[in-house]
Amino acid sequence: MSDVITYRYPVPSVLHTGAAPGLFLAGYSEIEKTTAPSFFQGTLEQPYITACCLITLANVVRSGFTLTPAQAAFTKDPIVTAGASKLRFEGFSQCAGVYGRVDVLPGGHNGSFPANGTVNVDFNQPMINALGAIGRNDTMQLTVGAREISLQDQEGGMVTEKKVPLPIKWIKGLTTVQLFLAASDLRYTFNKVQLRQLFQGLPNGTVKADYYLMVRNNKPVLSPVKNAQAICIGGVHRLRLLEPLLPLADELQVFAHPDMQSTTWQLVFGNVRFSLSLSREAWRGFSGEGAALDALIADVPDHLIAALDKYGYANQEFNATLLAIKEQVSFEQIDQLTARLAAMGLLGYDPDNNLYFYRRLPFKLNRILSLNPRMKEAEQLLAEDKVAIISQQHDKVEARVAGSGVTHTVTVDGDNARCTCTWFARHQGERGPCKHILAVRKKAN
């Protein structure tokens, strides 16, 4: 499979000048959920802050913490979703280890949402220049359409955007990071003073060792020394992406995955949020994680997936627990459904209010489901009848899986699983299950 998808935009992006200047960004989608001409039309109530957040998102997209400068210069585009009276702009770093999102909440805009939808748009230096020209007292009009975004400001100039390729790992990261967000909990909330203290303690340069976030005497502290209550942060230098926004922020919320596989740092600006999620290590991107694999094991009926897909599109966001109670569906089945749709890229997650939001990715769903080679290899093991269940009692399973000149032993006990293969020995399950465990789980189910 090729490692890029080339998007061919129908028209170039252009910045018009004159009495009603506007930046019109060409968009592209392989599928269309709606034929509505636009998803949002209106003005932004915090245009300067929103512009600063979008510029920071562009910096995230341009960054690459495991890439050469030449590779990092190969910029990508954000995904824009309009729905539930909210605007969301999402993007990944080049290494796919940093995920950024700008959320414009109700009260952060004054406009209408004729329809709900998602569009992928051109987003590079000419647009950054246009956003950078927006002052504290300027206005910004925004239109998010099915094929373009228009940004109207008070400055002139003209810019033409060209089509760009979209890496497969970017799509995989987008589907994986939501599962980490859904499992994360709010650990700290810092005010402006604490926020300044925290970032003053950031170490200089590139940091390879783990750092830990803790609070001492009501002061946030970053330390290379582990503490039982501390949050583990890999590649803490990546937090410097947030520095341009610090003087504007009201507070910082820090979310952590229970197994410390990711941390999320959310800056609050009234009705605008900027979230930065970091993978466990700087060298390991979200696209390489195995979080989505477990969600793809269970045989979830297609009609249930289709039903939740329609529910998500109609309601745009929902609380999974409340949905299970309302529809009298088991929590386990709702978890399987939401995890499956998140793994398909249809659901994003807001950790600050425990809500899933619906996103129609501009990619074909069957392509997203085919992006997990370990799952495909597990299916092949089953097709070739190389998996033998030795014993099975409730959630405890022991099996043998034939490999290349060796037979692997797999034991599964509820959520815990072990395998004698080299993949498991190297990663101990921290990067998702190996193909042998996947095959055994699927056969046992």
Side-chain angles (χ1 to χ4, degrees):
M1 177 184 294
S2 172
D3 61 351
V4 298
I5 302 170
T6 300
Y7 279 15
R8 299 186 180 279
Y9 294 92
V11 295
S13 301
V14 177
L15 178 61
H16 294 286
T17 60
L23 179 62
F24 295 86
L25 299 172
Y28 177 82
S29 175
E30 295 179 323
I31 57 175
E32 294 292 347
K33 189 74 172 183
T34 177
T35 56
S38 65
F39 302 138
F40 171 80
Q41 296 174 329
T43 59
L44 299 180
E45 297 296 295
Q46 298 172 267
Y48 177 73
I49 286 178
T50 304
C52 291
C53 287
L54 291 177
I55 291 172
T56 301
L57 180 63
N59 292 335
V60 171
V61 171
R62 290 182 173 194
S63 64
F65 295 95
T66 60
L67 306 177
T68 66
Q71 290 172 319
F74 188 58
T75 59
K76 304 298 179 294
D77 305 329
I79 291 174
V80 186
T81 299
S85 298
K86 298 175 182 178
L87 296 167
R88 307 180 193 274
F89 302 79
E90 302 173 87
F92 271 93
S93 63
Q94 301 299 298
C95 56
V98 181
Y99 166 74
R101 191 171 81 215
V102 180
D103 294 325
V104 182
L105 309 179
H109 57 77
N110 182 16
S112 61
F113 290 79
N116 306 315
T118 303
V119 61
N120 187 75
V121 297
D122 247 352
F123 196 96
N124 53 33
Q125 192 57 45
M127 181 182 181
I128 306 307
N129 294 339
L131 291 170
I134 296 174
R136 293 179 179 269
N137 299 319
D138 289 343
T139 60
M140 182 193 299
Q141 293 185 353
L142 181 69
T143 300
V144 179
R147 296 184 178 275
E148 70 282 322
I149 287 181
S150 64
L151 172 66
Q152 298 181 17
D153 55 31
Q154 301 176 35
E155 300 296 328
M158 178 174 288
V159 59
T160 299
E161 308 283 6
K162 298 181 180 180
K163 64 177 186 275
V164 295
L166 188 68
I168 292 293
K169 68 177 181 179
W170 224 59
I171 308 172
K172 293 173 67 176
L174 194 62
T175 64
T176 301
V177 71
Q178 313 305 329
L179 300 178
F180 283 137
L181 286 173
S184 298
D185 296 315
L186 177 63
R187 296 289 296 274
Y188 295 112
T189 298
F190 299 127
N191 58 32
K192 288 186 176 183
V193 175
Q194 293 171 315
L195 179 58
R196 185 167 58 252
Q197 293 171 336
L198 172 63
F199 277 80
Q200 286 175 347
L202 273 180
N204 296 323
T206 300
V207 182
K208 295 184 179 180
D210 288 337
Y211 264 67
Y212 299 88
L213 171 63
M214 60 197 77
V215 175
R216 294 175 183 164
N217 299 322
N218 204 35
K219 178 181 178 180
V221 177
L222 291 169
S223 172
V225 181
K226 186 176 182 180
N227 179 292
Q229 302 300 320
I231 294 175
C232 181
I233 311 163
V236 69
H237 56 283
R238 295 177 291 176
L239 286 177
R240 293 199 178 279
L241 288 165
L242 293 176
E243 287 184 327
L245 297 177
L246 300 184
L248 304 172
D250 298 323
E251 66 178 24
L252 169 68
Q253 295 179 323
V254 183
F255 301 83
H257 188 273
D259 297 329
M260 301 301 167
Q261 293 301 305
S262 69
T263 56
T264 297
W265 309 71
Q266 185 178 85
L267 293 174
V268 178
F269 313 85
N271 292 309
V272 177
R273 306 281 191 273
F274 187 94
S275 301
L276 192 78
S277 296
L278 307 180
S279 62
R280 176 63 179 79
E281 285 99 5
W283 53 266
R284 189 169 80 194
F286 287 107
S287 62
E289 300 295 348
L293 294 174
D294 285 324
L296 300 176
I297 295 175
D299 290 325
V300 181
D302 290 341
H303 73 276
L304 291 181
I305 296 176
L308 188 57
D309 180 28
K310 293 178 181 178
Y311 178 89
Y313 178 70
N315 293 274
Q316 289 301 294
E317 60 184 23
F318 60 89
N319 181 293
T321 301
L322 296 180
L323 178 62
I325 296 173
K326 178 181 178 181
E327 301 297 331
Q328 296 184 343
V329 180
S330 70
F331 294 125
E332 180 181 3
Q333 191 168 49
I334 284 293
D335 286 343
Q336 289 176 346
L337 284 168
T338 53
R340 177 63 67 94
L341 262 68
M344 294 165 65
L346 294 177
L347 295 182
Y349 192 79
D350 278 335
D352 54 328
N353 53 20
N354 298 317
L355 289 178
Y356 284 96
F357 67 87
Y358 188 83
R359 176 207 304 117
R360 171 59 69 171
L361 284 180
F363 322 117
K364 295 178 180 178
L365 297 185
N366 59 356
R367 177 181 293 145
I368 295 174
L369 291 174
S370 69
L371 298 181
N372 296 283
R374 269 181 277 167
M375 179 58 71
K376 291 191 291 185
E377 291 170 353
E379 296 282 4
Q380 185 175 353
L381 289 173
L382 292 170
E384 296 175 356
D385 199 25
K386 292 185 176 181
V387 180
I389 303 294
I390 304 303
S391 64
Q392 182 172 2
Q393 295 181 346
H394 303 293
D395 291 339
K396 191 170 184 178
V397 180
E398 182 177 352
R400 303 285 187 270
V401 182
S404 301
V406 63
T407 298
H408 302 289
T409 299
V410 175
T411 56
V412 177
D413 190 357
D415 293 334
N416 300 316
R418 301 188 64 85
C419 181
T420 57
C421 71
T422 55
W423 170 272
F424 185 86
R426 185 182 304 117
H427 302 293
Q428 296 293 312
E430 288 191 354
R431 299 188 65 181
C434 65
K435 61 182 179 181
H436 311 106
I437 292 176
L438 286 170
V440 171
R441 283 192 184 276
K442 192 167 183 65
K443 184 165 185 174
N445 288 338

